[in-house]
Amino acid sequence: MMLKHIAKIALNLTVICFFAGTVLGLVNLGTQKAKEENQHKREMLTSMSLLGYGAGNPAPPDLEMRAVSRYLLSVDGAPALGYVLPVDNNPVFIVLSVEGEKLLEIPAPDAHQADINQNLSSLMGKEVSGLRHVEDYRIALLDGKVLGYLIVGNNLGFKANIRMMISLNADFSVRGMAILESEEDPGLGDEAKEPYFRNQFAGKSAEQLARTGVSTSPQPEEYRALLEAQPEGHFTAEEMERLRTVYGDSPIYSITGSTISSTAVTVGVQKAVSRFVYRLQQVNAALAAARTAPPAPAGEPEEEGV
Amino acid sequence: MKKIMLIAAMLAALATSALAGDGLTLKAGSFADAHSIEVEFLSPLSGLEGLEPSHWRVVEASSPDIALPLEKVELAPANPNAARLTFRQNLDMGQPHQVTLASPRGSGKIEVTRNMLAVLLTLFLSAAVINNYVFSRYLGLCVFFGVSQHRDTAVGTGITFTLVMTCSGILSWAVFQFILKPLSLGFLQILVFIGLVACLVQALDTILRKINPVLFKKLGVYLVLITVNCIILAVPLLIADRNFNLAESFFFAVGAGLGFAMALYLMANVRERLAVARVPASFQGLPIAFIVCGLFALAFMGFSGLSLF
Amino acid sequence: MSGFQLIVRGLLAENPVFRLALSMCPAVAVTTNVKNGFLLGCAVVFVQVMSNLTASALRQFVHQRVRVVIYTIIIATWVSAIDMIMGAYLPDLYDQVSLYIKLIVVFAIIISRMELFASKNPLIPSLFDGLGMGLGFMFGLMMIGAVRELLGSGQLLGFDLLGTKPLLIMILPAGGFFVIGFLMAIFNTVLKKLGLGAPPAGGHH
């Protein structure tokens, strides 16, 4: 009978869809958490490695990681910058104009309330809108002193966007670079992940980095040997010194057959570092100006960051 | 009377321009190449005074505090109304740039974004030729080798595929943007897209049968091949992965389809000749087809890095 | 046919990659090295086995007219599942093959095994049939991967073997096509010598 057929078909489809939905829903729930955890773990490993720590040299327990968060907002129609800064134990939120003039400084928790834009508008007496988080810069502190900075850069490569993490020493010279994401061709642009390319950035001062170009000449054998001596980029003080003095001024030797990818990575690193240094200087200058932050009201819960 | 009014109007115009000084008004700007921006003014430029690099401030929209290092300003080669600003480093053309002029001769602010048509055509070219689905992405091989034995089947399949790919590309874009993304059901992509393609093929089959039986007779048989095919599913998956908008999805899908059609036609031509050539027994059929495909892939590699827009 | 015989059939006479020429897309894309080939092979084994088992378990229940739809949904479910699992636990390896794992859903081989075998046989034989086909596929992929990795980057599983500069072409698409063409021809010759006959008409899905 027709009805029986239709009913059976309908039942089939319902059961199958139910089955599909259940299986997928469960797998999704199970794997989502694992995915985020693994991603976080990987970034942590990369960060630690860029700071010089690894399996053979674990990070000391008193290593502290703080974050400087950068925001973009619009004040009275003009673009402005916001930063959440880890000042001592009380994170502070400041708003700087494009020229570097400090427009506002408040304890960070005070900024983080129901309608942030509204709250900031009333605090500054100006029209604030479009507050959005852009990126984080991380500072590694050991014994209360700056050990290094970790920043993320990106640039369009040959195929897709390349994301990289750069580790800077306290004097803003480059300690190392790691590629986080890239979709370049194996054997070509993908070689940027290899020590002989990516360790080339190590040892360059901020100024040398800004001046460096990309060369298509073959990489000197000695240079390559030195770079590959420490595949993880954990150069000894002596090796770092050699990299700085002997090869600090040499160009970045591009990967054979991948000038575009090599240039993209180099420019990405240059942009990220120069912008970070500039912004940090702006922020420090603004903070150095007379501080007028009101003390945090008693009883306010301490919130870490935003 | 009219003559007097005309002369009066001209005098007034001259007077205004004389009073305003040589007022430059910014009209629009565009990316001239990877490291320069062309800025067009309302009136022809008589010279470059007041237009030195120090009077300009160019920033990326996402980094308004970083003034991009401007190397030089010159008169644009092709346009008397325009000036060309050349930068030391390549520009990130994916971002809108804000160009501000503050000079004694005039001031103003414009936003420079990438030409939409250029973006779409680049996407089309990329999908069709540079990252050709068969020769660079190794997709659609399933059907490719079966159908490319004769030219007419190749053409028929190519047309049908392009049609279905475009429709499924647009439909899947809609479903992804309005249903899957807002409800965080991204993980159901595969299931939903393949269902979509199957339904679409079924619908096209029925529609074509009713509306144009002649066309159906010619192309209908290829519709069957489409449903279970790597390439037909790859287009929606890539669209979802890269988060294209509607126009981008359309050009991407059409490019993929036409690139596939072209690949099919090229292969068919070669295979018709191979069928009457003396091929060693072990190589007959698929092995030699693969090797020929490899030669095509080699040739198509020449397109990589091509950028016309 | 015993379980073992089923597996051997999947590996040799009806090897999906070289003989049946089914599901070629991943064979070229993924086999730039052995590890990727192995990864995709595992994914296919998983999907094939689970789909076979599901189809076999439901074989009394599935209505004839909707069986293709039902099989497709089953396959899509297991493919989505393995896609998510790999993405979560093997992110580095997964990044390179992500698109091709999603495309397992269109492998004609999986649905054809379900239709030809699993829908008519109990659970255990279906398991072995799936295992055989899946392993045959994995074997094919790993072989192509081995040749391409050895010639194209001078390595095998990451270990440098060749002393000289490798042929970069091998890990690019063109090389993939060449390698498969040659391996297919070799397979044909070898099997002809072993008397296993001409390949079944290849060149469709």
Side-chain angles (χ1 to χ4, degrees):
Chain A
M1 213 189 337
M2 255 328 256
L3 200 60
K4 196 168 127 198
H5 279 291
I6 296 179
K8 197 148 186 255
I9 292 179
L11 188 63
N12 268 210
L13 289 172
T14 321
V15 167
I16 278 296
C17 288
F18 188 70
F19 155 80
T22 321
V23 169
L24 285 180
L26 287 173
V27 174
N28 187 43
L29 277 176
T31 55
Q32 268 299 85
K33 255 184 58 186
K35 198 166 171 189
E36 282 161 17
E37 269 174 30
N38 279 336
Q39 203 166 13
H40 179 76
K41 242 195 284 189
R42 269 195 315 166
E43 280 216 9
M44 262 296 120
L45 270 171
T46 317
S47 309
M48 286 300 128
S49 176
L50 281 175
L51 288 172
Y53 301 115
N57 176 20
D62 50 351
L63 175 76
E64 260 188 274
M65 297 285 280
R66 303 264 185 88
V68 171
S69 304
R70 183 167 78 90
Y71 293 77
L72 269 183
L73 61 157
S74 171
V75 174
D76 276 345
L81 299 129
Y83 294 94
V84 169
L85 304 166
V87 180
D88 301 322
N89 280 321
N90 302 317
V92 154
F93 177 68
I94 65 171
V95 177
L96 298 183
S97 74
V98 170
E99 289 83 25
E101 184 200 326
K102 184 169 69 174
L103 300 173
L104 177 73
E105 181 181 336
I106 52 174
D110 286 357
H112 190 174
Q113 285 178 31
D115 186 352
I116 303 174
N117 290 317
Q118 188 62 25
N119 193 34
L120 290 175
S121 297
S122 60
L123 280 172
M124 292 206 289
K126 306 190 191 192
E127 184 68 39
V128 172
S129 63
L131 179 73
R132 69 177 205 280
H133 178 246
V134 180
E135 61 179 333
D136 286 335
Y137 303 122
R138 283 182 297 152
I139 310 178
L141 296 156
L142 196 58
D143 268 340
K145 280 194 304 186
V146 173
L147 172 67
Y149 303 98
L150 288 167
I151 60 178
V152 172
N154 60 57
N155 201 6
L156 183 65
F158 183 61
K159 284 196 145 166
N161 203 32
I162 304 179
R163 252 182 98 222
M164 52 212 105
M165 192 188 288
I166 305 131
S167 153
L168 301 174
N169 292 314
D171 64 355
F172 302 131
S173 61
V174 181
R175 189 200 206 107
M177 188 274 284
I179 305 272
L180 294 175
E181 269 171 39
S182 83
E183 276 176 47
E184 309 293 286
D185 284 318
L188 297 169
D190 203 44
E191 293 283 292
K193 299 177 180 162
E194 297 294 308
Y196 75 83
F197 180 79
R198 97 183 142 84
N199 284 346
Q200 289 185 99
F201 294 94
K204 293 199 190 304
S205 72
E207 193 228 1
Q208 284 170 328
L209 179 67
R211 278 189 278 123
T212 200
V214 177
S215 162
T216 47
S217 318
Q219 195 179 41
E221 285 293 321
E222 277 189 332
Y223 192 20
R224 186 176 179 131
L226 177 58
L227 296 172
E228 289 184 326
Q230 302 285 5
E232 292 296 304
H234 297 162
F235 296 105
T236 61
E238 207 182 288
E239 288 166 330
M240 264 301 191
E241 187 60 26
R242 256 191 82 198
L243 283 172
R244 190 179 66 81
T245 49
V246 180
Y247 299 108
D249 285 312
S250 62
I252 300 290
Y253 293 98
S254 75
I255 303 160
T256 323
S258 313
T259 326
I260 296 180
S261 304
S262 311
T263 317
V265 174
T266 309
V267 169
V269 174
Q270 285 172 320
K271 270 165 72 166
V273 174
S274 68
R275 291 180 184 195
F276 168 70
V277 172
Y278 175 78
R279 286 171 176 147
L280 202 65
Q281 285 168 342
Q282 293 283 84
V283 165
N284 282 330
L287 279 182
R291 298 190 50 166
T292 52
E300 190 94 348
E302 186 97 340
E303 278 170 58
E304 271 304 314
V306 175
Chain B
M1 192 55 203
K2 255 199 205 155
K3 236 196 204 168
I4 300 174
M5 282 187 60
L6 206 59
I7 297 175
M10 272 169 55
L11 281 172
L14 272 171
T16 342
S17 68
L19 278 174
D22 187 1
L24 292 172
T25 327
L26 287 169
K27 190 171 128 187
S30 60
F31 291 108
D33 59 48
H35 50 232
S36 48
I37 290 181
E38 199 160 286
V39 179
E40 200 177 330
F41 294 87
L42 275 182
S43 42
L45 292 174
S46 50
L48 285 173
E49 314 84 46
L51 292 178
E52 293 85 14
S54 55
H55 292 119
W56 295 91
R57 186 185 159 88
V58 182
V59 293
E60 292 174 2
S62 67
S63 297
D65 53 333
I66 307 280
L68 300 174
L70 184 55
E71 201 165 282
K72 58 181 176 187
V73 182
E74 351 168 76
L75 291 169
N79 189 344
N81 286 22
R84 182 171 286 205
L85 282 62
T86 310
F87 297 85
R88 219 178 295 148
Q89 280 177 341
N90 278 8
L91 299 167
D92 181 3
M93 292 198 272
Q95 282 206 49
H97 285 60
Q98 273 148 14
V99 179
T100 319
L101 173 66
S103 112
R105 274 175 82 186
S107 59
K109 191 156 79 164
I110 49 167
E111 192 166 274
V112 177
T113 49
R114 208 162 174 195
N115 183 354
M116 199 51 192
L117 192 63
V119 172
L120 294 175
L121 286 176
T122 314
L123 212 58
F124 174 82
L125 209 64
S126 160
V129 175
I130 306 173
N131 288 320
N132 182 290
Y133 269 62
V134 179
F135 300 130
S136 309
R137 286 195 210 262
Y138 346 79
L139 291 173
L141 298 180
C142 341
V143 155
F144 190 69
F145 287 108
V147 155
S148 59
Q149 273 151 341
H150 300 283
R151 267 185 288 186
D152 27 0
T153 54
V155 169
T157 316
I159 296 177
T160 327
F161 265 62
T162 311
L163 228 86
V164 177
M165 254 190 249
T166 319
C167 295
S168 75
I170 297 179
L171 275 176
S172 56
W173 171 85
V175 169
F176 183 70
Q177 290 293 341
F178 301 126
I179 303 179
L180 293 180
K181 230 170 54 165
L183 298 175
S184 298
L185 291 175
F187 63 96
L188 290 179
Q189 270 180 30
I190 303 175
L191 203 55
V192 169
F193 288 156
I194 204 170
L196 203 79
V197 170
C199 291
L200 183 70
V201 169
Q202 194 60 40
L204 274 178
D205 187 273
T206 321
I207 294 175
L208 208 58
R209 211 189 281 258
K210 295 233 167 91
I211 293 189
N212 195 339
V214 175
L215 198 62
F216 178 74
K217 244 177 142 182
K218 273 171 74 178
L219 300 178
V221 63
Y222 305 120
L223 277 179
V224 180
L225 294 172
I226 292 182
T227 329
V228 187
N229 187 287
C230 338
I231 205 176
I232 239 359
L233 193 62
V235 169
L237 285 176
L238 284 171
I239 288 177
D241 194 49
R242 301 202 181 159
N243 235 331
F244 286 150
N245 62 36
L246 183 61
E248 289 172 334
S249 307
F250 177 74
F251 274 85
F252 185 69
V254 172
L258 288 181
F260 184 65
M262 171 177 66
L264 268 179
Y265 189 67
L266 290 172
M267 263 307 261
N269 273 295
V270 173
R271 285 189 84 181
E272 278 187 357
R273 284 171 173 71
L274 273 182
V276 292
R278 286 195 310 176
V279 179
S282 298
F283 279 87
Q284 270 171 12
L286 279 178
I288 194 69
F290 263 90
I291 295 180
V292 168
C293 202
L295 290 171
F296 270 116
L298 209 57
F300 268 70
M301 255 171 70
F303 286 115
S304 66
L306 180 70
S307 79
L308 291 176
F309 307 102
Chain C
M1 271 195 164
S2 78
F4 182 69
Q5 280 176 316
L6 283 172
I7 293 187
V8 171
R9 184 181 70 175
L11 275 175
L12 290 178
E14 290 189 14
N15 185 299
V17 175
F18 297 119
R19 300 275 281 181
L20 305 182
L22 293 176
S23 316
M24 304 300 329
C25 317
V28 191
V30 154
T31 51
T32 48
N33 56 45
V34 181
K35 215 168 18 165
N36 286 356
F38 176 68
L39 203 69
L40 195 73
C42 283
V44 171
V45 169
F46 176 82
V47 175
Q48 179 78 81
V49 167
M50 296 309 285
S51 305
N52 262 15
L53 285 176
T54 319
S56 181
L58 295 174
R59 69 183 184 278
Q60 312 287 8
F61 173 72
V62 167
H63 191 279
Q64 273 307 302
R65 290 194 53 187
V66 281
R67 68 180 192 290
V68 175
V69 176
I70 302 232
Y71 290 160
T72 312
I73 296 181
I74 294 176
I75 298 176
T77 310
W78 291 117
V79 171
S80 305
I82 192 72
D83 181 64
M84 281 192 269
I85 294 174
M86 279 197 176
Y89 294 104
L90 300 167
D92 294 317
L93 304 171
Y94 172 77
D95 276 336
Q96 297 180 35
V97 302
S98 64
L99 179 65
Y100 299 96
I101 292 196
K102 293 193 174 86
L103 292 179
I104 294 180
V105 72
V106 286
F107 284 12
I109 175 101
I110 301 187
I111 204 172
S112 76
R113 289 327 287 181
M114 286 167 83
E115 169 117 358
L116 289 175
F117 198 87
S119 59
K120 302 179 181 112
N121 289 283
L123 283 178
I124 300 297
S126 299
L127 174 75
F128 279 109
D129 179 72
L131 210 56
M133 275 297 162
L135 287 177
F137 193 77
M138 192 198 290
F139 169 63
L141 287 188
M142 282 173 76
M143 192 144 66
I144 302 174
V147 173
R148 287 180 78 188
E149 190 178 358
L150 197 60
L151 292 177
S153 44
Q155 298 179 343
L156 207 53
L157 287 174
F159 297 108
D160 281 302
L161 284 182
L162 287 184
T164 61
K165 254 183 136 184
L167 290 169
L168 194 63
I169 191 75
M170 284 297 156
I171 48 179
L172 294 174
F177 288 121
F178 289 144
V179 171
I180 294 179
F182 278 105
L183 282 177
M184 271 184 160
I186 293 174
F187 235 77
N188 280 347
T189 324
V190 166
L191 287 177
K192 202 155 57 169
K193 291 246 164 72
L194 288 177
L196 281 168
H204 16 247
H205 288 289

